[in-house]
Amino acid sequence: MSDTLYLQLDQNIQINHPHIYLQDIAKLSCSNSKILNRLRVMPVINLDPNKPGRYVMSVMDLISEIKKKEPDLEINNIGEADFIITFKNKPGPGLVWQWCKIIFVGLAAFFGAGFSIMTFNNDVDVGGLFSQIYTQVTGQTSGHFTVLEITYSIGIGLGVLFFFNHFGHMKITDDPTPMQIQMRLYEENVNKTLIKDIDRTSEK
Protein backbone atom coordinates (compact mmCIF):
# COMPACT_ATOMS: atom_id res chain seq x y z
CA MET A 1 0.00 0.00 0.00
CA SER A 2 1.47 3.37 -1.06
CA ASP A 3 1.86 6.26 1.34
CA THR A 4 -0.46 9.27 1.15
CA LEU A 5 0.53 12.90 1.38
CA TYR A 6 -2.05 15.53 2.34
CA LEU A 7 -1.26 18.96 0.96
CA GLN A 8 -2.95 22.15 2.16
CA LEU A 9 -2.25 25.65 0.83
CA ASP A 10 -3.78 29.03 1.63
CA GLN A 11 -4.92 31.36 -1.12
CA ASN A 12 -2.26 33.98 -0.39
CA ILE A 13 1.03 33.14 1.32
CA GLN A 14 3.47 35.82 2.46
CA ILE A 15 7.18 35.02 2.20
CA ASN A 16 10.13 37.16 3.32
CA HIS A 17 13.00 35.26 1.67
CA PRO A 18 13.56 34.42 -2.02
CA HIS A 19 14.46 30.73 -1.62
CA ILE A 20 11.14 29.00 -1.07
CA TYR A 21 10.72 25.43 0.10
CA LEU A 22 7.57 23.35 0.25
CA GLN A 23 7.25 23.68 4.03
CA ASP A 24 7.24 27.49 3.62
CA ILE A 25 4.02 27.54 1.63
CA ALA A 26 2.14 24.34 2.47
CA LYS A 27 0.92 22.36 5.44
CA LEU A 28 2.01 18.75 4.95
CA SER A 29 0.82 15.53 6.53
CA CYS A 30 2.08 12.03 5.76
CA SER A 31 2.19 8.74 7.67
CA ASN A 32 5.75 8.15 6.44
CA SER A 33 7.97 10.54 8.42
CA LYS A 34 10.98 9.99 6.12
CA ILE A 35 9.05 11.05 3.04
CA LEU A 36 7.56 13.95 4.94
CA ASN A 37 10.97 15.25 6.03
CA ARG A 38 12.34 14.98 2.50
CA LEU A 39 9.41 16.89 1.01
CA ARG A 40 9.50 19.64 3.60
CA VAL A 41 12.85 20.84 2.28
CA MET A 42 11.97 20.35 -1.39
CA PRO A 43 12.79 23.57 -3.32
CA VAL A 44 9.72 25.12 -4.93
CA ILE A 45 11.00 28.32 -6.53
CA ASN A 46 13.93 30.72 -6.29
CA LEU A 47 12.81 34.32 -6.68
CA ASP A 48 14.85 37.35 -7.62
CA PRO A 49 15.72 39.06 -4.30
CA ASN A 50 15.37 42.46 -6.00
CA LYS A 51 11.88 41.80 -7.39
CA PRO A 52 9.32 41.66 -4.58
CA GLY A 53 5.72 41.16 -5.62
CA ARG A 54 2.99 38.60 -6.12
CA TYR A 55 3.59 35.31 -7.93
CA VAL A 56 0.71 33.03 -8.92
CA MET A 57 1.30 29.28 -8.90
CA SER A 58 -0.79 26.16 -9.43
CA VAL A 59 -0.91 23.19 -7.08
CA MET A 60 -0.60 20.94 -10.14
CA ASP A 61 2.95 22.23 -10.62
CA LEU A 62 3.75 21.28 -7.03
CA ILE A 63 2.25 17.82 -7.47
CA SER A 64 4.33 17.29 -10.62
CA GLU A 65 7.54 18.19 -8.77
CA ILE A 66 6.62 15.98 -5.82
CA LYS A 67 5.88 13.07 -8.15
CA LYS A 68 9.34 13.38 -9.67
CA LYS A 69 10.87 12.78 -6.23
CA GLU A 70 8.26 10.36 -4.89
CA PRO A 71 6.62 8.59 -7.86
CA ASP A 72 4.74 6.06 -5.70
CA LEU A 73 3.30 8.66 -3.36
CA GLU A 74 -0.43 9.35 -3.43
CA ILE A 75 -1.16 13.07 -3.08
CA ASN A 76 -4.41 14.63 -1.87
CA ASN A 77 -4.81 18.39 -2.14
CA ILE A 78 -7.20 19.72 0.50
CA GLY A 79 -6.40 23.40 -0.05
CA GLU A 80 -6.47 25.88 -2.91
CA ALA A 81 -5.99 24.80 -6.52
CA ASP A 82 -4.20 28.06 -7.37
CA PHE A 83 -2.38 30.21 -4.87
CA ILE A 84 -0.40 33.44 -4.63
CA ILE A 85 3.06 33.87 -3.15
CA THR A 86 3.51 37.41 -1.87
CA PHE A 87 7.24 38.08 -1.65
CA LYS A 88 8.35 40.99 0.54
CA ASN A 89 12.08 41.42 0.90
CA LYS A 90 11.96 44.70 2.82
CA PRO A 91 10.62 45.51 6.28
CA GLY A 92 7.29 47.28 6.50
CA PRO A 93 6.87 50.99 7.19
CA GLY A 94 8.05 52.36 10.52
CA LEU A 95 5.88 52.69 13.59
CA VAL A 96 5.52 56.47 13.20
CA TRP A 97 4.33 56.14 9.61
CA GLN A 98 1.84 53.43 10.61
CA TRP A 99 0.40 55.63 13.36
CA CYS A 100 0.14 58.54 10.93
CA LYS A 101 -1.89 56.38 8.55
CA ILE A 102 -4.11 55.11 11.38
CA ILE A 103 -4.79 58.66 12.60
CA PHE A 104 -5.52 59.89 9.07
CA VAL A 105 -7.93 57.03 8.33
CA GLY A 106 -9.59 57.46 11.73
CA LEU A 107 -10.14 61.19 11.22
CA ALA A 108 -11.39 60.69 7.67
CA ALA A 109 -13.85 58.01 8.82
CA PHE A 110 -14.99 60.10 11.81
CA PHE A 111 -15.63 63.34 9.93
CA GLY A 112 -16.97 61.49 6.90
CA ALA A 113 -19.52 59.62 9.01
CA GLY A 114 -20.44 62.84 10.84
CA PHE A 115 -20.95 64.67 7.55
CA SER A 116 -23.12 61.83 6.21
CA ILE A 117 -25.30 61.85 9.33
CA MET A 118 -25.71 65.64 9.20
CA THR A 119 -26.67 65.65 5.51
CA PHE A 120 -29.20 62.87 6.14
CA ASN A 121 -30.72 64.81 9.05
CA ASN A 122 -30.97 67.92 6.88
CA ASP A 123 -32.52 66.00 3.97
CA VAL A 124 -35.31 64.52 6.10
CA ASP A 125 -35.52 67.59 8.41
CA VAL A 126 -35.07 65.64 11.63
CA GLY A 127 -34.78 68.88 13.62
CA GLY A 128 -38.14 70.12 12.35
CA LEU A 129 -39.74 66.74 13.03
CA PHE A 130 -38.45 66.67 16.62
CA SER A 131 -39.62 70.27 17.14
CA GLN A 132 -43.09 69.42 15.89
CA ILE A 133 -43.35 66.26 18.05
CA TYR A 134 -42.13 68.13 21.13
CA THR A 135 -44.65 70.95 20.63
CA GLN A 136 -47.56 68.53 20.08
CA VAL A 137 -46.72 66.42 23.16
CA THR A 138 -45.73 69.15 25.64
CA GLY A 139 -47.54 72.17 24.25
CA GLN A 140 -44.32 74.16 24.50
CA THR A 141 -42.00 75.50 21.82
CA SER A 142 -38.89 73.39 21.29
CA GLY A 143 -35.51 74.97 21.96
CA HIS A 144 -33.83 72.26 19.78
CA PHE A 145 -32.06 70.90 22.85
CA THR A 146 -34.70 68.64 24.33
CA VAL A 147 -34.87 65.03 25.46
CA LEU A 148 -35.58 64.02 21.84
CA GLU A 149 -32.33 65.43 20.48
CA ILE A 150 -30.31 64.11 23.43
CA THR A 151 -31.64 60.53 23.23
CA TYR A 152 -31.35 60.59 19.43
CA SER A 153 -27.66 61.57 19.63
CA ILE A 154 -26.94 58.91 22.27
CA GLY A 155 -28.83 56.32 20.23
CA ILE A 156 -26.74 57.00 17.11
CA GLY A 157 -23.52 56.48 19.06
CA LEU A 158 -24.74 53.26 20.68
CA GLY A 159 -26.11 52.03 17.37
CA VAL A 160 -22.74 52.49 15.68
CA LEU A 161 -20.97 50.64 18.51
CA PHE A 162 -23.41 47.73 18.43
CA PHE A 163 -23.35 47.55 14.63
CA PHE A 164 -19.55 47.50 14.34
CA ASN A 165 -19.26 45.28 17.45
CA HIS A 166 -16.00 46.97 18.27
CA PHE A 167 -14.69 49.65 20.62
CA GLY A 168 -10.90 49.91 20.89
CA HIS A 169 -9.62 46.46 21.84
CA MET A 170 -12.99 45.44 23.28
CA LYS A 171 -15.66 43.47 21.41
CA ILE A 172 -19.27 43.08 22.48
CA THR A 173 -19.48 39.53 21.07
CA ASP A 174 -16.98 37.07 19.60
CA ASP A 175 -18.47 37.42 16.11
CA PRO A 176 -16.33 39.14 13.48
CA THR A 177 -17.15 42.79 12.95
CA PRO A 178 -18.75 43.98 9.68
CA MET A 179 -15.45 45.72 8.85
CA GLN A 180 -13.50 42.48 9.31
CA ILE A 181 -15.95 40.64 7.07
CA GLN A 182 -15.71 43.27 4.34
CA MET A 183 -11.90 43.30 4.52
CA ARG A 184 -11.81 39.50 4.23
CA LEU A 185 -14.15 39.59 1.23
CA TYR A 186 -11.99 42.30 -0.34
CA GLU A 187 -8.81 40.22 0.13
CA GLU A 188 -10.48 37.15 -1.38
CA ASN A 189 -11.74 39.14 -4.37
CA VAL A 190 -8.26 40.63 -4.95
CA ASN A 191 -6.67 37.16 -4.83
CA LYS A 192 -9.25 35.68 -7.19
CA THR A 193 -8.79 38.56 -9.63
CA LEU A 194 -5.00 38.14 -9.65
CA ILE A 195 -5.34 34.41 -10.31
CA LYS A 196 -7.91 34.93 -13.08
CA ASP A 197 -5.76 37.60 -14.75
CA ILE A 198 -2.75 35.25 -14.80
CA ASP A 199 -4.90 32.44 -16.23
CA ARG A 200 -6.21 34.67 -19.02
CA THR A 201 -2.71 35.93 -19.80
CA SER A 202 -1.34 32.40 -20.06
CA GLU A 203 -4.20 31.37 -22.37
CA LYS A 204 -3.34 34.08 -24.94
Side-chain angles (χ1 to χ4, degrees), residues 127-171:
L129 177 62
F130 283 169
S131 178
Q132 183 179 357
I133 293 174
Y134 186 81
T135 301
Q136 289 178 344
V137 173
T138 65
Q140 300 176 358
T141 303
S142 171
H144 298 289
F145 191 70
T146 65
V147 65
L148 292 176
E149 285 83 7
I150 294 172
T151 53
Y152 178 70
S153 301
I154 295 173
I156 288 178
L158 291 176
V160 170
L161 288 179
F162 279 105
F163 176 77
F164 284 100
N165 188 27
H166 202 342
F167 184 76
H169 294 289
M170 297 182 295
K171 293 180 65 176

Side-chain angles (χ1 to χ4, degrees), residues 3-4 8 19 28 45 49 52 57 59 66 68 74 76 88 91 100 138 147 149 171 178 192 196 198 203:
D3 296 304
T4 302
Q8 182 179 359
H19 306 294
L28 308 171
I45 187 173
M57 294 188 66
V59 73
I66 294 172
K68 291 178 182 179
E74 182 179 341
N76 287 332
K88 294 184 177 180
C100 289
T138 65
V147 65
E149 285 83 7
K171 293 180 65 176
K192 289 178 181 178
K196 289 294 184 183
I198 290 296
E203 289 175 358

